Amino acid sequence: LRHNTEHSVPTDNCLMCGRCEAACPVGISLNNLRLSQRKDGSRITKATYGYIPPITPPQAKIAYFAGCMGHLTPGIIQAMLTIFAKAKADYTFIDEKGGICCGRPLLLSGNQKAASVLRDKNNDFLNQSGASLLVTSCPICYKTFKEDYELNMPVMHHTEYIRLLLRQGHIQPHHSELRTIFHNPCELGRGSDVYAAPEEVLKAVSHKLPTVYDGRDSLCCGGSLANIHLTPLQRTQLSSDALKAYLTYHPDVLVNFFQNGDFCTRKGHRRSSSGKPGIKQKICYLYNPINLFIMLWTPSQKVLIDNFINRIKTVEWFKHAGEPSEKYWVVDTIWEACDTHGRKTREVWEKNSEILEQKALQKLSDEQIDFIFETVSLAIGNQVDEALCAFEDRIGQETGEDQSGIEDEILDFIKRDTAWACVELLMNEKGFFSRICQINESGRWACSWIGKYPQGNFIIM
């Protein structure tokens, strides 16, 4: 700039993550300098968005704006709507049936005139709502609404709003045993100085681990829309490096309060025996913690879950496996259980898990079921794994045959069955998986079925 030389590359080749500003000893506003030098090359006018029909949102005290990324991640929207409902909030969903971008991506690329057109359009929608508070889930929308729109109402990121609900006692989430670390998006933390709210919210639902990347030192995920020079491979490398740094803390969950974090992919888990991805011990789940807040348990549900978890932690897994039984058919080895009877297991277990899941979703949310699976996995995973290895050694010594090789499958099997038993408990049902849990709690393993279901009986070890 000083010598009036070409500066487009250093100006444009920046993620605008703000880490250099945070580290600058003399407080130079580098992001604003770069942004002021980016060329405005757009040709957008007010007529550009004339195709959008007039929107007259219902009058309400709170206006909720999901934004582009919110609509690309519908689970975030569903979670927020659930929270609004639980809190009995008077709200209107501004862009429920579609809308336009908040304008910040255009602003970051230097297209300030185009961004102003979007601001004017959205301002009309917001003013028509009559709201006295705007809540948004996207840090990009949050920053531009707060700094560029000059609204006549306060703006809250959903973490700030959820913290308010917590402090006022309007919602009471279940505190889980999940060990979490937090990746604060650049636009929310360094960009908007929002640090305390997400930390407080996360501590309310999990065991939050401190890291050197908390606060202003949060790492950039590489997904910023501000940089037009980075290749996809370079962005992937940035997100991979950041992910590796966070995972050195060995969390159960890496939490991100932004839908667009490049390494924040949705977790998977196995509910049925149909080959879906399985819960694996020591896997770090990556997801937006707003989904934790859809799990708003009633006091009685909390008691049932806590009592169930405390009970299964005391189980002496496989202690009596292999011993004779007058009630059930007993198999002698793991390979007999899995090879000889495996087909029947898949047939009976898959049918029951699918039926139960359909019934459960009428009373519980998908996120609540996920929570139960994760909580059960964390509660018993290591115990079952250690007991299974000891049992394999014992059977191997007795038979002279190696019983190892399918520990992960059996571990998934037991955790899945136990989680479904917890779901049945919440539904006040004593069904198929409750019977399995009772067998397993006696130191056995319900590993298959003999006879045509529902006639017949369990095969156990």
Side-chain angles (χ1 to χ4, degrees):
L1 295 178
R2 178 180 299 173
H3 302 290
N4 198 30
T5 57
E6 171 60 32
H7 54 264
S8 62
V9 173
T11 297
D12 295 340
N13 191 15
C14 176
L15 290 162
M16 297 284 190
C17 72
R19 279 180 65 84
C20 56
E21 282 192 5
C24 181
V26 293
I28 297 176
S29 184
L30 295 168
N31 278 0
N32 286 337
L33 281 174
R34 286 193 172 93
L35 193 56
S36 68
Q37 294 302 309
R38 293 188 171 185
K39 296 179 180 179
D40 191 341
S42 70
R43 296 294 181 269
I44 292 177
T45 67
K46 291 185 177 181
T48 303
Y49 298 100
Y51 66 91
I52 298 177
I55 298 175
T56 306
Q59 299 287 295
K61 294 180 180 179
I62 299 171
Y64 176 61
F65 189 90
C68 305
M69 292 309 302
H71 282 283
L72 290 172
T73 318
I76 303 298
I77 294 175
Q78 185 56 53
M80 276 306 300
L81 297 185
T82 300
I83 291 171
F84 284 133
K86 290 284 185 179
K88 296 180 172 58
D90 178 20
Y91 76 97
T92 181
F93 189 172
I94 294 293
D95 55 337
E96 180 178 11
K97 297 181 179 179
I100 55 176
C101 176
C102 67
R104 184 158 178 78
L106 282 171
L107 182 67
L108 289 173
S109 65
N111 296 310
Q112 298 189 32
K113 292 180 181 178
S116 69
V117 173
L118 296 182
R119 285 199 298 270
D120 291 343
K121 194 80 173 179
N122 280 321
N123 258 325
D124 291 341
F125 298 151
L126 292 169
N127 289 332
Q128 289 176 42
S129 71
S132 57
L133 172 65
L134 173 61
V135 176
T136 181
S137 292
C138 173
I140 287 178
C141 294
Y142 173 80
K143 183 174 177 64
T144 196
F145 280 139
K146 197 157 189 177
E147 297 180 2
D148 305 321
Y149 269 64
E150 299 180 354
L151 295 170
N152 57 2
M153 67 182 83
V155 182
M156 279 188 168
H157 184 252
H158 66 230
T159 57
E160 296 175 304
Y161 178 68
I162 292 170
R163 178 179 65 173
L164 178 65
L165 294 178
L166 284 170
R167 289 180 173 181
Q168 294 177 343
H170 293 307
I171 57 174
Q172 296 179 337
H174 184 88
H175 190 280
S176 79
E177 297 183 2
L178 294 172
R179 299 165 67 253
T180 60
I181 58 175
F182 175 45
H183 168 252
N184 196 333
C186 304
E187 297 273 21
L188 185 64
R190 287 183 297 270
S192 302
D193 202 33
V194 176
Y195 299 109
E199 287 278 334
E200 187 174 330
V201 166
L202 194 51
K203 288 176 181 177
V205 293
S206 69
H207 176 56
K208 165 68 171 61
L209 301 177
T211 77
V212 297
Y213 308 114
D214 288 341
R216 294 172 66 84
D217 295 318
S218 182
L219 298 177
C220 180
C221 71
S224 171
L225 301 172
N227 193 303
I228 58 175
H229 280 266
L230 286 179
T231 66
L233 183 61
Q234 289 172 317
R235 288 181 182 273
T236 300
Q237 187 62 54
L238 282 171
S239 63
S240 177
D241 290 345
L243 180 58
K244 288 177 183 177
Y246 282 112
L247 293 186
T248 59
Y249 290 87
H250 304 292
D252 301 313
V253 179
L254 170 56
V255 173
N256 182 287
F257 277 98
F258 183 26
Q259 304 94 307
N260 199 33
D262 267 16
F263 47 79
C264 294
T265 55
R266 179 169 171 79
K267 65 193 180 305
H269 66 263
R270 171 183 284 174
R271 292 188 186 168
S272 71
S273 52
S274 59
K276 297 179 181 178
I279 292 180
K280 298 294 184 182
Q281 193 69 9
K282 300 179 183 178
I283 275 185
C284 172
Y285 296 120
L286 310 174
Y287 66 141
N288 189 307
I290 194 170
N291 288 319
L292 291 173
F293 273 88
I294 204 167
M295 303 174 296
L296 301 172
W297 304 102
T298 65
S300 61
Q301 286 175 323
K302 290 181 183 179
V303 171
L304 287 174
I305 294 171
D306 289 341
N307 289 344
F308 181 85
I309 294 299
N310 290 333
R311 192 181 85 214
I312 61 175
K313 282 182 176 179
T314 65
V315 174
E316 296 180 286
W317 304 95
F318 298 100
K319 182 177 181 179
H320 301 294
E323 296 178 5
S325 171
E326 296 181 357
K327 188 174 182 180
Y328 301 106
W329 182 289
V330 179
V331 293
D332 297 323
T333 68
I334 290 174
W335 291 114
E336 182 182 357
C338 296
D339 287 353
T340 306
H341 303 284
R343 181 176 179 181
K344 193 70 174 181
T345 303
R346 287 190 296 274
E347 175 188 325
V348 176
W349 264 249
E350 182 175 343
K351 179 180 180 180
N352 277 280
S353 60
E354 288 178 352
I355 292 174
L356 178 57
E357 181 163 16
Q358 291 174 3
K359 292 171 64 177
L361 286 173
Q362 296 176 13
K363 297 183 179 181
L364 302 172
S365 71
D366 197 60
E367 285 76 12
Q368 284 177 308
I369 299 174
D370 284 349
F371 173 85
I372 292 169
F373 271 72
E374 291 157 10
T375 302
V376 167
S377 179
L378 289 169
I380 68 173
N382 289 333
Q383 292 174 275
V384 175
D385 190 39
E386 292 173 4
L388 177 58
C389 290
F391 175 63
E392 287 177 339
D393 292 342
R394 174 161 59 89
I395 296 297
Q397 292 173 2
E398 294 175 358
T399 64
E401 298 178 359
D402 184 8
Q403 298 290 306
S404 63
I406 54 173
E407 294 85 358
D408 286 346
E409 288 82 355
I410 296 174
L411 184 61
D412 272 353
F413 196 100
I414 293 173
K415 289 190 291 186
R416 182 192 66 235
D417 290 350
T418 309
W420 277 130
C422 184
V423 172
E424 287 185 338
L425 179 65
L426 289 171
M427 297 174 63
N428 196 28
E429 288 190 9
K430 291 185 178 179
F432 181 79
F433 293 99
S434 298
R435 294 170 61 193
I436 291 174
C437 194
Q438 186 177 20
I439 292 170
N440 292 348
E441 286 184 83
S442 70
R444 300 283 196 164
W445 174 35
C447 56
S448 191
W449 187 269
I450 188 169
K452 185 176 181 180
Y453 187 82
Q455 288 74 37
N457 205 349
F458 284 105
I459 296 175
I460 69 170
M461 288 199 72

